[in-house]
Amino acid sequence: MADPAIEVHGLSKRYGDHAALDQVDFSVRRGEIFGLLGPNGAGKTTTLECLEGLRLPDAGRLRVMGIDPTRERHKLRQVMGVQLQTGSLPAYFTIREMIRLFSAYHEVNPDWAVTERLGLGNLLNTQYQALSTGQKRRLSLALATLHQPAVLLLDEPTAGLDVGARIALHELMRELRAQGTTILLSTHDMAEAETMADRVAILLQGRIVAVGTPRELTATGAGLTKVTVRTINNSLRAFTHPQIRQSQQQDEYAVFYTTEPGPVVTAIMHHIQTEADELVDLRVERPSLEERFLELTRTAASDV
Amino acid sequence: MKAFMLHFALEFRAALRNRNLLLMNYLLPLGFYLLIGGMMVQINPFFGDQMIPAMVILTVLSGVIMGLPTNLVEAREAGILRSFRVNGLQSGTLIAIPALANALHVCLTALVITVSAPLIFKVPAPVDWPMYLLVFLLTLFANSGLATLIGVITRSGQMAILWQQLLFIPSMILSGLMVPLTLMPDWGQKLSLMLPATYAMAAFQGSAYEGETLWYAPYGMLLLFVGGVLGFVLASRLFSWDNQNDVQRHRVVLALVAMIPYLLGALLLV
């Protein structure tokens, strides 16, 4: 098996008395999208900045494609592309000028195709100061991918983007993954992580509290599956089952919460048939990553 | 090198789109030259002898001292330096590019003044042209070093403006640009020697115009050179990519080392 694209072992960083990162460990496999999740202030950006070589860790071992970000910055730039959360670009440079400039620094030919793909093709002569937030983020991503890096670090890439731009960016991330690019995605958007990431790590108060695929993480929690049913005669109003933890009536819908949706749905169908009722609508919603995240956050808060 | 040259060209062009830099590099010095310069020649005939050096130094002060630091501070505050850093640019490049691009703008304005002043205002041209060029380049170098240092050590735009004004206003009043040093009281002369512009003015008068000065002009040129070197060396040592990183303490105290040549000048020359 190939070495991981990114390895983080025992990463710690303090700002005065505040421990921003405390013994953080995770690794990112080559060619996967890895989501780093956490609320504001959890340490996501500090982790990324240590990997980018922008910040020196107090302790820990970091490797990006086998390169030490704290010592081999020049080599690091060749394999890594970065989209910063708080980065900006010169206000009076046009998009065309910045693509040319960054291509020159990366010693590659300007990739105009990426500007087309990101919807910037007709804005090449527009100055940075005149771009919208979404356009600036897309430009930042275009610049990060100009030299076709093996690893891409994205810090809240879709923050402030409209739906269209968000979808386009997700498509580009999938394309890049298909081409073998490893993506470390820092976000607090759970839905984005759930749909985009192959694996995620949840960072709370500077510590990793869970790592796995979104499905694995949601499965390990106490999250309940929600079963929502509507029938013509509303025969489920008083329905009970040993594996239903909680039930309620919402308008014309009967709502049940269970950890075992299979037997419960079977029992519901049997009940409807027995009562000569007729099914109108049935929905089964598995616990989301967001619910698992909130559960972990509550646990972490109660531990303090 | 190709990337560096491209960056320099783009930075130079971008400054032409920046109203603030346009004002500081072109409109203010040229406007001052045409209005005040012309007026001063009428009021004080002796001003004619020093008009070109005075206006060229004003151009350097306006373009470099007033233009360069704010640009650097804004780039750091906005996160532009961080964006450059993650794309592999070195701190030396980010110090050199704005200073060089700014210097080229100043050179163009200075060239306009140097060529046009004898024709428009009938003021004397420099006697020794190579020395004139050398003094001009030293003046530019010394002030660029100081301006870059201010841009590097100040944490906010407001603070940068304070430092800029602290150099610009006394330089305009005390360095001999408008009033000859010989007419100033002793304390005024001493104070003026803390300003690079004073040495520049004396060097222009003594070396490029072969006039009389209060001290041997090449000493002043040496101090300008040392001051410029110190400015750039300290700027590269104290450079920080952003305001959030662990900032070196006592930066301002260290930065004041760049003023040592001028302090020595004040103690030893007059």
Side-chain angles (χ1 to χ4, degrees):
Chain A
M1 188 178 162
D3 290 336
I6 298 172
E7 293 175 83
V8 176
H9 293 298
L11 174 62
S12 297
K13 177 74 185 172
R14 297 187 74 85
Y15 300 117
D17 295 335
H18 171 65
L21 296 173
D22 184 11
Q23 294 289 316
V24 169
D25 287 289
F26 67 89
S27 64
V28 182
R29 295 171 193 147
R30 293 189 183 212
E32 76 173 342
I33 297 179
F34 187 90
L36 193 58
L37 303 182
N40 291 334
K44 304 189 298 291
T45 297
T46 301
T47 305
L48 258 59
E49 286 181 344
C50 289
L51 286 167
E52 289 155 3
L54 289 177
R55 222 170 267 279
L56 278 177
D58 295 334
R61 182 180 184 274
L62 305 176
R63 290 291 180 273
V64 177
M65 302 301 283
I67 296 165
D68 182 348
T70 59
R71 295 178 184 199
E72 302 167 286
R73 285 186 186 150
H74 182 68
K75 277 189 189 172
L76 184 72
R77 303 296 164 230
Q78 294 167 358
V79 299
M80 183 194 276
V82 176
Q83 186 196 33
L84 293 169
Q85 186 187 358
T86 54
S88 184
L89 291 160
Y92 299 96
F93 279 27
T94 65
I95 291 182
R96 185 191 303 280
E97 288 169 345
M98 280 185 278
I99 297 279
R100 283 181 61 207
L101 179 65
F102 283 74
S103 298
Y105 275 116
H106 284 301
E107 297 176 359
V108 296
N109 290 322
D111 179 8
W112 303 111
V114 76
T115 58
E116 290 293 339
R117 205 170 0 154
L118 287 166
L120 299 169
N122 57 350
L123 297 168
L124 290 178
N125 294 321
T126 307
Q127 289 175 24
Y128 185 74
Q129 60 175 346
L131 299 177
S132 68
T133 305
Q135 289 162 344
K136 285 176 180 172
R137 287 202 168 268
R138 280 182 275 156
L139 172 63
S140 174
L141 185 63
L143 296 174
T145 56
L146 278 175
H147 57 303
Q148 298 179 325
V151 175
L152 195 56
L153 266 58
L154 306 177
D155 198 354
E156 307 285 357
T158 51
L161 293 190
D162 59 34
V163 178
R166 196 182 176 87
I167 291 169
L169 198 126
H170 284 165
E171 279 172 11
L172 180 71
M173 283 163 66
R174 286 193 189 97
E175 273 177 45
L176 289 167
R177 174 176 55 186
Q179 291 163 14
T181 307
T182 305
I183 299 175
L184 176 55
L185 167 71
S186 163
T187 181
H188 55 229
D189 183 337
M190 299 300 140
E192 178 172 65
E194 198 159 8
T195 53
M196 293 302 302
D198 299 302
R199 289 191 307 136
V200 296
I202 295 179
L203 192 60
L204 289 175
Q205 295 166 357
R207 291 179 187 179
I208 298 281
V209 293
V211 184
T213 65
R215 191 177 286 270
E216 282 168 355
L217 288 192
T218 51
T220 54
L224 300 169
T225 299
K226 183 180 178 185
V227 180
T228 312
V229 197
R230 184 181 167 196
T231 61
I232 287 179
N233 298 328
N234 206 4
S235 63
L236 292 164
R237 183 168 295 182
F239 178 75
T240 57
H241 187 275
Q243 283 164 325
I244 290 176
R245 297 273 184 90
Q246 191 186 334
S247 62
Q248 64 189 83
Q249 195 73 25
Q250 283 179 354
D251 300 327
E252 293 172 335
Y253 285 87
V255 182
F256 307 103
Y257 294 91
T258 176
T259 52
E260 299 293 337
V264 170
V265 170
T266 306
I268 287 170
M269 297 307 291
H270 181 71
H271 180 85
I272 292 169
Q273 205 171 15
T274 310
E275 295 292 317
D277 200 352
E278 198 174 323
L279 183 68
V280 177
D281 191 10
L282 171 72
R283 277 178 256 166
V284 180
E285 297 166 66
R286 298 194 67 85
S288 67
L289 189 60
E290 185 167 356
E291 283 164 320
R292 175 67 178 137
F293 175 77
L294 290 171
E295 191 184 319
L296 285 165
T297 311
R298 279 193 292 270
T299 309
S302 63
D303 287 348
V304 174
Chain B
M1 196 59 192
K2 185 185 160 196
F4 185 90
M5 291 309 293
L6 176 65
H7 195 168
F8 169 70
L10 295 177
E11 186 80 21
F12 177 79
R13 199 188 300 170
L16 296 172
R17 300 169 187 154
N18 182 334
R19 277 186 204 163
N20 185 43
L21 291 184
L22 265 184
L23 177 74
M24 293 305 170
N25 284 322
Y26 295 99
L27 298 180
L28 189 123
L30 288 175
F32 200 88
Y33 157 65
L34 290 171
L35 291 172
I36 308 295
M39 213 159 64
M40 285 291 284
V41 174
Q42 300 293 320
I43 297 167
N44 174 10
F46 296 107
F47 180 74
D49 295 342
Q50 62 189 51
M51 181 181 180
I52 293 178
M55 290 300 126
V56 163
I57 293 170
L58 168 72
T59 302
V60 173
L61 290 173
S62 170
V64 176
I65 297 294
M66 295 303 288
L68 192 52
T70 325
N71 215 18
L72 279 168
V73 173
E74 281 172 0
R76 190 172 56 254
E77 281 186 315
I80 295 169
L81 299 185
R82 287 160 62 82
S83 295
F84 279 141
R85 190 183 192 192
V86 296
N87 281 285
L89 272 77
Q90 304 294 315
S91 59
T93 304
L94 293 172
I95 286 175
I97 295 276
L100 285 172
N102 211 265
L104 186 54
H105 286 292
V106 169
C107 285
L108 291 175
T109 309
L111 182 67
V112 170
I113 291 171
T114 306
V115 171
S116 66
L119 302 173
I120 299 173
F121 299 112
K122 310 294 180 208
V123 295
V127 178
D128 187 337
W129 282 99
M131 283 309 279
Y132 177 79
L133 181 65
L134 180 63
V135 174
F136 169 69
L137 291 177
L138 284 171
T139 306
L140 193 53
F141 178 65
N143 282 284
S144 296
L146 218 48
T148 304
L149 187 57
I150 292 172
V152 163
I153 60 157
T154 42
R155 290 175 65 86
S156 68
Q158 291 95 324
M159 204 60 203
I161 290 169
L162 204 71
W163 282 105
Q164 289 167 307
Q165 298 291 356
L166 206 63
L167 269 176
F168 183 79
I169 295 172
S171 296
M172 289 293 291
I173 299 168
L174 298 174
S175 63
L177 265 62
M178 300 294 150
V179 182
L181 275 188
T182 46
L183 297 181
M184 282 188 203
D186 282 353
W187 65 265
Q189 286 180 9
K190 286 277 182 197
L191 198 61
S192 73
L193 285 169
M194 288 304 295
L195 305 163
T198 307
Y199 299 96
M201 194 64 194
F204 273 123
Q205 286 170 331
S207 300
Y209 280 82
E210 297 178 352
E212 286 186 11
T213 52
L214 290 175
W215 57 84
Y216 182 52
Y219 287 155
M221 289 161 68
L222 182 66
L223 293 179
L224 286 175
F225 176 72
V226 175
V229 170
L230 277 175
F232 280 112
V233 168
L234 286 166
S236 66
R237 295 279 299 166
L238 300 174
F239 185 86
S240 70
W241 294 92
D242 56 48
N243 285 342
Q244 299 157 9
N245 256 322
D246 315 76
V247 177
Q248 288 173 274
R249 291 176 191 276
H250 313 306
R251 285 155 57 94
V252 176
V253 178
L254 272 172
L256 287 174
V257 170
M259 298 304 287
I260 286 178
Y262 310 116
L263 180 66
L264 287 176
L267 293 173
L268 303 174
L269 289 183
V270 178

